[in-house]
Amino acid sequence: MYRLTIHELHERLKRKEVSSQEVTKALLERIREVDPRIKAYLCVTEQKAREGAQEADQRIATGQISPLTGVPLAIKDNMCTQGITTTCASKILENFVPPFDATIVKRIKEQGGIIIGKTNMDEFAMGSSTENSRFTTTRNPWNLDAIPGGSSGGSAAAVAADECIAALGSDTGGSIRQPAACCGVVGMKPTYGLISRYGLVAFGSSLDQIGPITKDVEDCAILLNAIAGHDPLDSTSIDLPLPDFRKALIKDIKGWVLGIPREFFVEGMDPAVEEKVWAAIRTLEGMGAKVKEIALPHTGYAVATYYIICTAEASSNLARYDGVKYGFRAPGSPELMAMYLETRSQGFGPEVKRRIMLGTYVLSSGYYDAYYRKAAQVRTLIKADFEKAFQGCDVIVTPTAPTPAFRLGEKVQDPLQMYLSDIFTISVNLAGVPAISIPCGFSKGGLPIGLQIIGRHREEERIIQAAYTFEQNTDHHMKRPRLS
Amino acid sequence: MKVERGEVEHVALLARLKLSEEEKEVFTSQLNAILDYMEKLNALDTGAIEPTFHVVSHCNIMREDEVRGSLPQEASLENAPDRAEGCFRVPKII
């Protein structure tokens, strides 16, 4: 029962073949069975989930059912949940219990969705392997010695290991798509502004976006329908009418032009990734799409641009953690300045400190123009690359990550190598356009490989349609890791 | 070397971080490696390019000045590491 997708579960709930309480119980048992090995969750909200399921069953009995009613979901631990700790996998927020719900959490609850737990992540979403969590190391369900990807590694692993029906993640530079690729599930970063960020703990405010991590493309569309839309509490959220994303679940890509950026297929890419991504492109071609080589000439500058902008924004956003109003305070400091210094030094882990340092440096007097302003100018060029490329194609198709999931511990000593694992995903955040990662095959070692489909600004429907067409003509999304 | 150890100490103070001797050492070398990598942006002539600070162009989002619900005092103080008489309490400032 825990293997069901949102739409499969919804049909069974509607026909009263199963109750929300039964599926919640099955998932809680599944978590007890496999999570000691996977460690996807930081906290499982068993009691609240059982109560929520009971309420959902009552709603269903009276005929009130939305596509999310009675569906247990996992939430990345950087989205505020009233009465449930929200730690960002950081010591500095280890005891923080939000007095309010993030807008997306509120929307899920209003639609009868059930929150079954909060998932592990890189501290403050800074990382590509979830190894920067201060609390636990999440493992890849396909190979327990491999990383689950990051920073939404807990959410992706929970979906892949059937420890929830679906999950939410957040994506600043690839943090939904790269773990989705590593764990063989579907992950989407929507257009910047499509989903409210109110209650999402801020990392890089001009880049952060919440999105779904699901077992298939149909679930992605359902979850997007449930959480997208304007929110007066987030001034960057887009105030325009929304489509029904399920209407884009069409198996047809005839005549579409797929843009293949030559800069993304460079030497050094893992041969298995190259092979499976090209096989996927051939499959789409076989369904009537046309392939066209395109150029995104500033791709090689994206990593440098991104790590200037995101660290600058992070250093300002994280200034709020001062041990005064909430979170951790280092004990024993006789005066205020010492309290700030001790609290922040003990509260933040090494990668967070490194990014605060880098961000403070690039914003500091004398370096602002050379780094921050320069990066913002290159961002204009990267954004223009996409606008120009999309004049000649409908969607852009690339690998999600240059390699399958690497081994735990492999890159922790070398931050620059870790940053380069985001090379195919970050330009999408810089440009603010939407992209999805879907499974497209496996390496010889049995690790999943992700295909990234990028769309124009606000054209989620197009990437859903392309992804759905591919998925429905292949069986990669049906495969599950063996855990029992 | 772009960043000397003394500059790392200065930046750490600006960021309100107290670094151990070992952290100063490691961050000096790592920040230099990362900043060296960022040098590649200088290959681009961006003199005439407008910067993009935000991908959405809207600005000055206004709303009516209406009284709305807010967080009650008790809820605001619930997470405070230290409190007294309905306020946040901090160590001595002066």
Side-chain angles (χ1 to χ4, degrees):
Chain A
M1 203 187 304
Y2 47 74
R3 298 209 158 196
L4 297 173
T5 61
I6 299 177
H7 56 94
E8 288 165 352
L9 173 58
H10 175 72
E11 285 308 314
R12 284 170 175 72
L13 287 168
K14 210 162 63 178
R15 292 199 299 262
K16 304 205 169 58
E17 291 168 11
V18 62
S19 71
S20 176
Q21 289 172 85
E22 284 166 327
V23 76
T24 303
K25 186 165 170 271
L27 278 163
L28 289 167
E29 276 164 19
R30 173 74 173 172
I31 292 169
R32 258 193 298 278
E33 186 201 338
V34 303
D35 210 52
R37 276 173 285 159
I38 306 292
K39 298 188 169 73
Y41 284 97
L42 287 176
C43 129
V44 178
T45 49
E46 180 161 350
Q47 189 56 35
K48 281 191 200 295
R50 285 186 196 277
E51 287 163 13
Q54 202 177 355
E55 248 173 72
D57 283 335
Q58 282 162 3
R59 276 206 206 189
I60 295 166
T62 63
Q64 289 173 285
I65 185 165
S66 85
L68 285 192
T69 309
V71 177
L73 303 168
I75 312 279
K76 187 178 182 179
D77 208 22
N78 60 350
M79 299 177 214
C80 286
T81 41
Q82 187 170 5
I84 301 168
T85 50
T86 298
T87 67
C88 278
S90 180
K91 182 179 166 71
I92 214 155
L93 283 175
E94 65 184 350
N95 56 3
F96 175 58
V97 182
F100 68 99
D101 275 328
T103 296
I104 50 101
V105 171
K106 195 163 155 256
R107 285 189 183 166
I108 285 169
K109 285 183 180 172
E110 282 166 359
Q111 291 167 61
I114 293 158
I115 290 161
I116 196 163
K118 304 292 293 288
T119 53
N120 196 23
M121 53 187 282
D122 286 295
E123 185 178 0
F124 282 101
M126 298 178 185
S128 312
S129 68
T130 311
E131 290 167 294
N132 294 332
S133 167
R134 286 298 282 277
F135 302 127
T136 190
T137 303
T138 301
R139 289 161 187 274
N140 190 314
W142 294 90
N143 178 341
L144 299 181
D145 294 325
I147 58 141
S151 65
S152 310
S155 285
V159 174
D162 292 303
E163 296 184 69
C164 59
I165 302 296
L168 287 181
S170 68
D171 190 317
T172 306
S175 282
I176 288 174
R177 290 159 287 155
Q178 184 258 15
C182 288
C183 292
V185 295
V186 175
M188 182 197 269
K189 183 208 86 81
T191 302
Y192 182 84
L194 188 77
I195 295 173
S196 168
R197 292 183 295 113
Y198 180 73
L200 169 70
V201 178
F203 159 20
S205 303
S206 80
L207 303 155
D208 297 339
Q209 192 59 195
I210 292 170
I213 299 179
T214 57
K215 294 174 187 174
D216 65 14
V217 176
E218 184 167 349
D219 276 8
C220 178
I222 293 169
L223 213 39
L224 208 53
N225 273 347
I227 61 174
H230 178 245
D231 177 11
L233 298 174
D234 172 3
S235 64
T236 61
S237 82
I238 303 169
D239 191 5
L240 283 170
L242 285 176
D244 174 358
F245 293 105
R246 287 186 88 161
K247 293 209 170 122
L249 298 167
I250 302 165
K251 279 184 274 181
D252 180 19
I253 196 170
K254 268 185 219 73
W256 286 33
V257 179
L258 312 178
I260 314 294
R262 65 175 80 96
E263 295 82 2
F264 280 57
F265 292 85
V266 286
E267 273 188 53
M269 191 194 296
D270 186 278
V273 172
E274 190 163 15
E275 183 197 325
K276 298 299 173 189
V277 168
W278 273 110
I281 294 167
R282 297 294 167 230
T283 302
L284 288 167
E285 225 177 2
M287 294 165 203
K290 293 186 201 108
V291 169
K292 181 183 171 189
E293 188 180 291
I294 57 159
L296 293 169
H298 297 93
T299 299
Y301 301 98
V303 172
T305 303
Y306 173 81
Y307 278 94
I308 291 171
I309 291 171
C310 86
T311 57
E313 294 184 7
S315 72
S316 336
N317 275 325
L318 272 61
R320 73 190 67 176
Y321 302 102
D322 58 2
V324 174
K325 299 183 214 62
Y326 48 82
F328 168 76
R329 175 190 291 186
S333 298
E335 51 88 33
L336 192 67
M337 183 64 165
M339 190 275 275
Y340 289 154
L341 290 167
E342 287 296 336
T343 295
R344 289 168 62 80
S345 304
Q346 294 173 32
F348 293 131
E351 179 62 24
V352 176
K353 285 185 197 168
R354 185 155 39 241
R355 293 204 195 184
I356 291 174
M357 290 287 292
L358 193 56
T360 306
Y361 178 82
V362 300
L363 288 176
S364 65
S365 168
Y367 298 107
Y368 176 90
D369 283 339
Y371 292 101
Y372 183 66
R373 193 182 157 82
K374 179 85 186 180
Q377 287 171 315
V378 180
R379 187 178 187 178
T380 305
L381 299 173
I382 291 168
K383 193 165 164 258
D385 278 357
F386 278 100
E387 282 157 12
K388 194 168 168 222
F390 276 126
Q391 286 170 10
C393 64
D394 295 291
V395 290
I396 295 174
V397 180
T398 76
T400 306
T403 65
F406 44 89
R407 291 177 72 82
L408 285 160
E410 194 180 311
K411 296 188 182 178
V412 281
Q413 295 308 325
D414 189 345
L416 195 53
Q417 278 309 308
M418 188 73 95
Y419 295 172
L420 289 169
S421 52
D422 301 335
I423 194 157
F424 296 147
T425 46
I426 55 182
S427 46
V428 168
N429 299 73
L430 290 167
V433 294
I436 194 169
S437 177
I438 53 172
C440 71
F442 292 83
S443 70
K444 284 203 179 69
L447 284 165
I449 291 166
L451 181 75
Q452 177 172 241
I453 305 173
I454 308 168
R456 292 187 191 107
H457 192 73
R458 292 210 76 212
E459 287 199 354
E460 280 78 9
E461 289 157 288
R462 229 179 246 273
I463 58 178
I464 288 171
Q465 184 170 339
Y468 188 71
T469 305
F470 178 79
E471 178 191 85
Q472 294 300 307
N473 284 283
T474 53
D475 64 353
H476 309 296
H477 66 293
M478 315 283 270
K479 301 202 172 103
R480 285 284 183 282
R482 276 198 209 99
L483 287 165
S484 321
Chain B
M1 285 241 298
K2 289 198 159 41
V3 188
E4 304 287 342
R5 194 184 160 98
E7 201 160 13
V8 167
E9 288 170 358
H10 172 67
V11 171
L13 184 66
L14 290 177
R16 299 291 183 261
L17 289 170
K18 188 175 138 188
L19 302 182
S20 67
E21 289 308 308
E22 194 195 336
E23 280 176 316
K24 285 178 198 166
E25 193 85 19
V26 173
F27 282 156
T28 306
S29 100
Q30 287 177 341
L31 290 184
N32 274 300
I34 296 166
L35 290 169
D36 272 344
Y37 177 78
M38 287 167 176
E39 277 298 299
K40 70 192 304 182
L41 296 187
N42 292 332
L44 293 171
D45 177 9
T46 51
I49 311 279
E50 278 297 308
T52 298
F53 297 114
H54 231 277
V55 286
V56 278
S57 51
H58 52 216
C59 64
N60 295 341
I61 308 286
M62 309 297 248
R63 64 169 172 82
E64 291 305 311
D65 185 17
E66 288 163 347
V67 178
R68 295 193 299 196
S70 60
L71 217 49
Q73 187 186 41
E74 191 45 43
S76 311
L77 288 165
E78 236 158 45
N79 280 286
D82 196 6
R83 52 191 278 192
E85 296 165 36
C87 297
F88 298 106
R89 184 155 71 183
V90 296
K92 197 170 65 170
I93 297 173
I94 306 164

